[in-house]
Amino acid sequence: MMHTLPLPDFTHERVEVIIGRRSGLFIAVALHSSVLGSALGGARLWTYPHWSDALGDALRLSAAMTLKNAAAGLDAGGGKSVIALPEGTMLDAERRRAAFLDLGDAVESLHGLYRTAEDVGSTTDDMLVVSERTEHVVGLPDTVGGSGEPAGPTSLGVYESLRATLERVTGSSDVAGRRVTISGLGQVGSRLAVRLSAEGATLTVTDVNPAKRDLARELGAEWATPGEEHLVPADVFVPAGIGGLLTDDVIDALDAKAVCGPANNPLAERAGAERLAQRGILYAPDFVVNAGGVIYLDLEAKKLGTRSEIMERVAHIGDTVRRVFDEAASRGVTPLEAAEGLAAERLAAGNRQSALVHGVA
């Protein structure tokens, strides 16, 4: 589901907007910041009502990537790319390939200031097509020696964040018997649902794709009507689809103790963080919670540790969430403001020291 949002403030270093010469599709590559290094952020292939919605999505997502990469301690700036499909458009294999070749040209035009990767709607195989036009792409398939699909690391980071959130609102990080609602069963949401089910959580799930009901049945999870899942009582509500879900109306009706999920920009308005706080609902900022994939992709590309060491670092996202909650409590601010503050400190310092993975540089 796409929630049309107003264009954000323009704070970007550079934005490339093209109509792909092969595909004829609108493509935006947004470089928000390269203060900490070459920007890293995925390429989203999605349907938008209007090209301005796609541009706004690229601007918001790239700004969030700056915060995400800074808060994660990566030597990487923030960027994002979007390939926009007009409503009702279905891509055949030839036009899909053309679209990602066009994206490769757009990424190459930034001369290494931005590296792309797979994201919602795109795959590691699509990134292999991008690599035909630029070397500034990460997350290629395992079969060609790449780091592969990052959904696993992202899901691990979300799981550890959820445990830290449960610890704060229930007194225990144990998920067994806890009520969790997952809105969106894509690659990350599905992985999380499978793990939580195996550990005894009481799950309610939903997705705009009705075929996902099969997974709900397999897991013994309750299925909620899309758009009504926030009304189900839960310990933690997990937004795991497209951004903008948490509108004022949804927040006012939300029946949960906390919000913690992988969806980028789940708040329709930044003021939603304060609205959640006023209702006593704890909010784990998305750009901290969902950083597992980008940590994995960046450190893999730079060969900063073995895969097991990198995954261990991803697991420590839960500790970052705890730090954000502590900082918010001590300063009397929302967790969103606390997390933004931690990222801003690093950006202000322009810290370009190499990230460490348990002592491995």
Side-chain angles (χ1 to χ4, degrees):
M1 183 182 299
M2 180 65 195
H3 299 266
T4 300
L5 301 173
L7 287 174
D9 291 338
F10 189 84
T11 57
H12 295 64
E13 291 181 15
R14 181 173 172 182
V15 177
E16 291 290 319
V17 176
I18 66 169
I19 298 297
R21 65 181 180 85
R22 304 173 186 85
S23 66
L25 295 174
F26 176 92
I27 298 173
V29 178
L31 169 62
H32 182 257
S33 172
S34 61
V35 169
L36 296 177
S38 172
L40 176 59
R44 176 164 294 191
L45 174 67
W46 199 251
T47 299
Y48 295 91
H50 190 263
W51 66 264
S52 62
D53 294 298
L55 176 59
D57 212 15
L59 296 177
R60 282 185 293 272
L61 291 167
S62 58
M65 288 303 304
T66 296
L67 294 173
K68 179 187 298 189
N69 294 339
L74 299 177
D75 295 329
K80 204 78 169 185
S81 48
V82 168
I83 301 173
L85 300 179
E87 291 184 320
T89 301
M90 298 293 291
L91 295 183
D92 58 22
E94 182 179 358
R95 195 177 184 197
R96 185 183 184 101
R97 173 177 167 78
F100 283 97
L101 289 172
D102 289 337
L103 173 64
D105 288 340
V107 170
E108 179 64 20
S109 73
L110 271 67
H111 306 295
L113 288 175
Y114 164 68
R115 296 166 293 152
T116 196
E118 67 88 37
D119 194 74
V120 175
S122 64
T123 68
T124 55
D125 287 335
D126 292 324
M127 294 307 104
L128 192 58
V129 175
V130 172
S131 72
E132 295 179 30
R133 304 299 302 172
T134 183
E135 65 179 357
H136 306 299
V137 54
V138 300
L140 300 182
D142 285 312
T143 53
V144 296
S147 55
E149 168 61 54
T154 302
S155 179
L156 173 61
V158 176
Y159 169 77
E160 294 296 345
S161 298
L162 187 143
R163 291 180 69 245
T165 302
L166 279 171
E167 183 178 281
R168 194 56 57 109
V169 296
T170 72
S172 171
S173 62
D174 191 354
V175 303
R178 297 302 178 190
R179 301 168 301 168
V180 180
T181 297
I182 301 177
S183 177
L185 294 173
Q187 295 216 44
V188 177
S190 294
R191 282 173 167 82
L192 183 65
V194 169
R195 181 164 191 171
L196 294 178
S197 175
E199 295 188 12
T202 300
L203 286 181
T204 298
V205 300
T206 193
D207 194 276
V208 294
N209 180 0
K212 296 292 185 177
R213 294 189 76 147
D214 292 340
L215 177 60
R217 282 190 287 268
E218 290 173 18
L219 299 179
E222 291 294 321
W223 178 266
T225 301
E228 297 180 4
E229 64 272 26
H230 62 289
L231 303 176
V232 179
D235 292 301
V236 182
F237 181 79
V238 180
I242 298 300
L245 174 64
L246 295 173
T247 62
D248 287 350
D249 288 343
V250 169
I251 291 172
D252 289 345
L254 181 61
D255 192 353
K257 297 177 182 177
V259 174
C260 174
N264 287 304
N265 300 328
L267 298 173
E269 301 285 346
R270 190 180 185 283
E274 184 61 40
R275 202 177 191 96
L276 285 167
Q278 290 171 353
R279 291 206 56 222
I281 299 172
L282 183 65
Y283 177 61
D286 57 292
F287 62 85
V288 177
V289 171
N290 63 20
V294 75
I295 291 172
Y296 171 75
L297 289 173
D298 189 54
L299 299 185
E300 266 278 312
K302 295 173 179 175
K303 305 302 180 187
L304 295 176
T306 65
R307 285 199 177 182
S308 62
E309 289 171 330
I310 293 170
M311 291 300 283
E312 186 175 349
R313 173 161 173 173
V314 169
H316 281 285
I317 287 176
D319 293 331
T320 304
V321 171
R322 291 180 179 91
R323 180 186 173 192
V324 167
F325 290 157
D326 289 341
E327 182 79 5
S330 67
R331 291 174 51 198
V333 299
T334 66
L336 176 59
E337 187 174 343
E340 289 175 340
L342 293 174
E345 286 177 13
R346 189 157 181 264
L347 288 164
N351 188 349
R352 294 289 297 275
Q353 296 178 355
S354 296
L356 299 178
V357 185
H358 301 289
V360 180

